[in-house]
Amino acid sequence: MRRWGGMGMTTVLLQKLKESIRFTFSALLLCLVLDFVGGTFLGVNYSEIVKNYPIILVILPGLMDLRGNVFGTLASRLTTKLNLGIIKRLKDREVKREVLRAIFSSKIPLIVLWVIGVLHTDNLRMAVAALLVVILSALAIGIVLGYSAALITIVPYSRGFDPDRIAAPLITSISDIVTIPTLIFFLNLYLVNRQMFYLLLFLTLGILIWLGVRSGNIVERSFTEIAGILTFLALIESFAGSLLEQYSSAIGKMILLAVLYPSILDSLGNMGSVIVARLSTKYHLEGEEGIKSKDTWLEIMAMLLMSVPLIIIANIIGMLIVEVTMHVHSHLVAPLILGYPLITLIVMIIGVALVLVAPKIHLDPDNLGVPLITTIADVLGTIFVVALALH
């Protein structure tokens, strides 16, 4: 067994940090910047959503996490299958099947989230409109996100890069970018042009049915396993949504937190997803001993060091957006900068535990790890934001 001396461990840590900065930090930073697209839409429309569509706040964390989970898990599965030689090209039929499994496996938890949202409102008409909007948004964006996940996994792998370092963070961030703007777009379309809305809905359903017929059977053990896991996670996410809706007024008084909310949740999930995706691949290649090696903990330390500049950058970008788009003066939030690395460390440690536990309960770490760690990150991140709002 390899042993590290004090200087040896420091050298390895610096090497891990260098690798993380080269491959992971740039992806995480890009994701952070992209997350502010959704954050800006949420901040600008926050008061209107709170007033007219509160059900959206209840289901929003779960909806964001669901898309990140579905397509982050897809990226993780594709990476594993690339390493095992099961798939080689973007045009492989198995890639198409995996994309469709990802899209359709999310529909049951989507309904669960909506039902939970209905329990928080007495406006059934608004709830039905929200359901139709969410379904169309999920179907239309699912096609784009599915093939985006395949593209940013298979292309880097073909060029010698490790997709585990970039694929899950990028696809979850892309999911967060499109979730809030498309929800608002389709909601407005439903209200303004009902015929066009239904046309798009049936057209999207037709495309997915056509793809499903051409791809053959997509229902297998992984499909039912993922659907079950996602439904369970949707129930957990409802807690975060309830918190967000309950303390919406407190967050509204510090609008910077509304703008930062998607970035905080997504970056925490990304940190956990990178660890889980890398360890899941390591488990399939090396077994449990590969996960328990000191390299794992050195990589966590390297990721933890990166969390500090990430949250400072996020705070600064959030300040600029609030001041430019909403003309509200803001500032650096010390509890945010100090607390974020601690939450990040907790998320990554939980991620290691998930990869170790999954095989013991006869679940694939690729299917359990990424969805569950991003859900846990969302719950912890929401509690963190609420605590900052009440501070």
Side-chain angles (χ1 to χ4, degrees):
M1 182 179 294
R2 188 174 181 178
R3 299 181 182 274
W4 305 105
M7 183 59 68
M9 183 175 292
T10 302
T11 302
V12 175
L13 175 59
L14 291 174
Q15 181 63 31
K16 290 286 183 185
L17 182 60
K18 182 179 178 180
E19 291 176 359
S20 296
I21 291 174
R22 181 183 175 188
F23 296 107
T24 309
F25 184 78
S26 56
L28 291 174
L29 184 59
L30 175 61
C31 294
L32 187 72
V33 173
L34 295 177
D35 283 331
F36 278 104
V37 175
T40 302
F41 270 85
L42 181 60
V44 171
N45 296 278
Y46 189 78
S47 59
E48 181 181 351
I49 293 173
V50 171
K51 180 180 179 180
N52 299 317
Y53 314 109
I55 190 175
I56 296 295
L57 287 181
V58 178
I59 68 176
L60 182 59
L63 189 61
M64 291 170 58
D65 186 57
L66 179 61
R67 289 180 183 171
N69 282 342
V70 168
F71 299 105
T73 301
L74 171 62
S76 183
R77 289 202 311 275
L78 290 175
T79 300
T80 297
K81 290 189 175 184
L82 282 166
N83 280 288
L84 295 176
I86 297 175
I87 60 175
K88 296 180 180 179
R89 301 176 305 163
L90 191 61
K91 295 182 179 180
D92 288 351
R93 173 171 287 190
E94 184 61 23
V95 174
K96 188 183 297 183
R97 287 175 178 169
E98 286 288 357
V99 169
L100 291 174
R101 286 180 192 126
I103 294 173
F104 287 113
S105 66
S106 66
K107 296 305 164 278
I108 295 176
L110 193 65
I111 299 299
V112 170
L113 285 171
W114 177 78
V115 171
I116 293 171
V118 169
L119 298 177
H120 287 77
T121 180
D122 55 2
N123 189 335
L124 185 59
R125 184 176 180 180
M126 181 266 290
V128 171
L131 175 62
L132 293 174
V133 166
V134 166
I135 288 176
L136 176 55
S137 175
L139 293 176
I141 295 171
I143 299 174
V144 176
L145 291 179
Y147 282 99
S148 295
L151 187 66
I152 62 179
T153 303
I154 296 172
V155 173
Y157 183 86
S158 66
R159 298 183 179 181
F161 292 99
D162 182 1
D164 280 333
R165 290 185 178 272
I166 60 173
L170 281 177
I171 197 61
T172 52
S173 292
I174 293 172
S175 300
D176 287 346
I177 287 173
V178 298
T179 294
I180 298 173
T182 53
L183 274 176
I184 295 173
F185 171 77
F186 284 123
L187 183 57
N188 289 331
L189 182 63
Y190 178 85
L191 296 173
V192 174
N193 192 334
R194 201 73 54 90
Q195 291 181 334
M196 179 60 69
F197 177 89
Y198 284 117
L199 177 62
L200 288 175
L201 177 61
F202 290 119
L203 178 62
T204 305
L205 281 171
I207 292 173
L208 287 171
I209 292 172
W210 177 73
L211 287 173
V213 171
R214 292 197 59 181
S215 301
N217 182 33
I218 64 170
V219 179
E220 59 174 26
R221 180 176 178 271
S222 65
F223 177 89
T224 55
E225 184 176 290
I226 295 166
I229 291 172
L230 292 176
T231 302
F232 170 70
L233 297 181
L235 294 173
I236 299 176
E237 279 286 357
S238 67
F239 173 73
S242 298
L243 271 180
L244 183 63
E245 192 270 339
Q246 182 178 353
Y247 294 98
S248 58
S249 59
I251 296 173
K253 293 177 182 177
M254 191 176 179
I255 198 64
L256 173 64
L257 291 178
V259 173
L260 285 170
Y261 183 72
S263 296
I264 292 173
L265 267 59
D266 189 50
S267 58
L268 286 172
N270 284 343
M271 289 285 195
S273 295
V274 169
I275 292 297
V276 168
R278 285 183 58 74
L279 293 185
S280 179
T281 300
K282 185 177 288 190
Y283 171 80
H284 285 291
L285 297 176
E286 302 176 23
E288 190 173 301
E289 290 303 314
I291 301 173
K292 294 181 177 179
S293 66
K294 290 185 178 180
D295 279 349
T296 296
W297 303 107
L298 290 172
E299 187 149 357
I300 287 176
M301 291 174 64
M303 296 284 288
L304 183 62
L305 290 174
M306 289 193 302
S307 70
V308 178
L310 276 176
I311 194 59
I312 293 175
I313 293 171
N315 199 157
I316 293 172
I317 295 175
M319 289 166 51
L320 293 174
I321 290 174
V322 167
E323 293 184 5
V324 170
T325 63
M326 288 162 264
H327 308 292
V328 176
H329 178 68
S330 190
H331 54 80
L332 288 173
V333 183
L336 169 67
I337 295 172
L338 295 175
Y340 179 84
L342 176 61
I343 304 295
T344 301
L345 178 61
I346 294 172
V347 168
M348 289 191 292
I349 291 175
I350 293 173
V352 176
L354 291 178
V355 178
L356 289 171
V357 168
K360 300 183 186 302
I361 57 176
H362 309 293
L363 291 174
D364 188 336
D366 278 328
N367 292 338
L368 176 68
V370 172
L372 188 51
I373 197 60
T374 54
T375 298
I376 292 171
D378 280 0
V379 173
L380 292 177
T382 301
I383 294 173
F384 184 44
V385 169
V386 169
L388 291 172
L390 298 175
H391 182 267

